[in-house]
Amino acid sequence: MLSIYIHIPFCVRKCLYCDFLSFPASERDKEIYAAALLKEIETEAFRYEERLVDTVFLGGGTPSILQTAHIEKIMDTLKNCYRFSSKPEITIEVNPCTVDKEKLSRYKAAGINRLSIGAQSVQDSELRALGRIHNAADFFAAFHMAREAGFDNINVDLMSALPGQTAERYLETLLKVTGLKPEHISAYSLIIEEGTPFFDMYGEKEGENGVERGLPSEEEERRMYEETGKRLEEAGYCRYEISNYALKGRECRHNTTYWRRHDYAGFGLGASSMVENVRWKNTARMQTYLDAYGKGKIHGNVKEEIQRLGRAEQMEEFMFLGLRLTEGVSRAEFFEAFHEDMEKIYGPVLQQLLDNGLIDTGERVKLTSYGRDVSNYVMAQFLF
Ligand code: SF4
C-alpha cells in the first residue's frame, strides 16, 4: 500500500500564527505550479507501479484556493498513473471563504470523499486575532454546503489557547461544532512559532506577561485541554490520537499512516516522503521546483535531506510515533519489524515509565492519561 500527500502552498493571506510552507500568489503563478505538480505526479509514478494507493491527502496551504479544474486534473492524473485500492480515502483541506456548493460538488464528482475544514474557532473575535480570512458564519455555511454536496466524512480543525480565548468561549465552540456532528475533529493548542508575527507579539512574553498581552493563563489553558477530551468523548467521539477524535470507524486513515510508519510519497513544494525507511523532503524553493518540473522538463530532482533510517532510528520512530495513538504500540509488531523483543531494547525505559504511571503495558504499550499530558517527555525517553 502507499499513501500520497500533495502540497498546495498557496493561501489568500498569511495567518498571523502560521509557519507552514504557504504564501499568497497570482493566478498565473498558481497555474504554473499546478502544471509542474502534475508533471511530478506523472513522472514519479514508475517508482510505485507495484503499490496500491490507499489514501491521498491534498493539503497546504489552502488547496481549495486552486481553480477547481486544477484539482480535477490532479485527480485525473492520479487515477491514470497510479493503481488504487478498492475504497481509497481521498481528503482535501479547504478553508471557509474559498469554497462554494459547485466547487464542493465537483470535488465529490472527481472522487474526493473526505473534507478537512480549517475552522479553528467559531468566535469571530478569536478568528480576527488569528488573522484568519473567514468568520464563524463562513465556516457554518461551508460545512452545510459540504453536506449538501454529499460529503459524509468531514473533519473540523479547532484550536485552543488563543489570544483572548476563555475556557467558556472555547467550550461554546466545542458545543457548536459537535452540534454539527462532523465525523472527525482535530483539536490542537496554539503553538507560537518563531518567525511568525505571533512570535513578535507573544513569543517572548509567556507566563504572566503573556496573560497581560491577552494569552490565556496556564490554568485556563489546562481547563481547555481537559474540556476537549471530556466534551468530545461525551459527544461520542473517540480520542484515537493525542489531538485527534473521531466517530467510530472515521479515524483519518491517511494520518494514521504516519503514526504507523507506513510508506507515503509526497508531491509538491516542500512535501515530505517516507518510502522503505528512506525519508526525504522536496525542495522548499519554488524556483528550484519549477526548474525541475516546469515547462518542457520531464524529469527533475527536487529531493533534499535524504536520510536512510538505520535500525535504531526505525525503532525510535516505531515507539514515539506509535505511542501517539491511543491503541499504542504492539510488542508483536515490534518483534515482527526488528526480530527483537521490545523488552530487550527498551526494558529499563518501559519499567521507569510504568513506575511513574506514564504508560500501561501488556501486549500493547500505551500512554496513560497522565502520560498523554506529558507526552513530549515520554517520547524523548525512547531516543537512543
Ligand atoms: S490558512 Fe492555514 S496554511 Fe494558510 S496561512 Fe492560514 S494557517 Fe497557514
Side-chain angles (χ1 to χ4, degrees), residues 210-222:
V211 176
E212 276 167 29
R213 299 269 163 167
L215 286 178
S217 66
E218 264 177 45
E219 301 80 71
E220 196 80 351
E221 206 178 320
R222 175 90 214 150

Side-chain angles (χ1 to χ4, degrees), residues 11 16 25 66 83 86 89 103 121 133 175 205 207 231 246 249 342-343 363 381:
C11 285
L16 298 171
L66 280 191
R83 292 190 302 134
S86 56
E89 175 195 90
K103 196 180 252 191
S121 164
I133 57 163
L175 291 175
K205 304 175 187 72
R231 300 295 169 156
M342 193 186 281
E343 207 57 39
E363 173 29 37
Q381 307 313 303

Side-chain angles (χ1 to χ4, degrees), residues 183-234:
E183 285 66 31
H184 191 285
I185 295 177
S186 296
Y188 289 90
S189 289
L190 171 70
I191 295 177
I192 295 173
E193 304 282 0
E194 227 173 314
T196 62
F198 260 26
F199 190 79
D200 300 333
M201 293 157 82
Y202 306 108
E204 292 167 46
K205 304 175 187 72
E206 285 179 6
E208 283 312 303
N209 289 338
V211 176
E212 276 167 29
R213 299 269 163 167
L215 286 178
S217 66
E218 264 177 45
E219 301 80 71
E220 196 80 351
E221 206 178 320
R222 175 90 214 150
R223 272 187 68 204
M224 293 185 212
Y225 173 81
E226 281 163 5
E227 288 293 349
T228 308
K230 191 166 150 243
R231 300 295 169 156
L232 293 185
E233 272 161 31
E234 276 170 13

Side-chain angles (χ1 to χ4, degrees), residues 141-152:
F143 189 93
H144 292 304
M145 283 189 287
R147 286 293 195 223
E148 281 166 31
F151 282 96
D152 61 2

Side-chain angles (χ1 to χ4, degrees), residues 123-143:
Q123 310 289 351
D124 286 345
S125 59
E126 292 168 11
L127 291 168
R128 273 196 302 275
L130 290 171
R132 301 286 304 191
I133 57 163
H134 72 277
N135 60 29
D138 297 323
F139 160 68
F140 288 115
F143 189 93

Side-chain angles (χ1 to χ4, degrees), residues 70-124:
H70 290 141
I71 299 289
E72 288 168 335
K73 272 199 195 138
I74 291 171
M75 290 301 297
D76 283 348
T77 308
L78 286 170
K79 283 184 224 155
N80 291 336
C81 301
Y82 295 79
R83 292 190 302 134
F84 278 78
S85 64
S86 56
K87 285 192 180 150
E89 175 195 90
I90 304 182
T91 307
I92 187 166
E93 278 184 329
V94 302
N95 277 324
C97 279
T98 61
V99 286
D100 55 30
K101 177 92 184 295
E102 193 218 325
K103 196 180 252 191
L104 292 167
S105 302
R106 283 173 66 183
Y107 289 168
K108 193 89 205 333
I112 295 170
N113 52 25
R114 186 170 181 272
L115 279 194
S116 180
I117 308 182
Q120 317 311 347
S121 164
V122 295
Q123 310 289 351
D124 286 345

Side-chain angles (χ1 to χ4, degrees), residues 11 13-15 17-18 20 22 61-62 95 132:
C11 285
R13 174 180 88 199
K14 196 82 180 158
C15 300
Y17 60 97
C18 177
F20 298 134
S22 69
T62 306
N95 277 324
R132 301 286 304 191

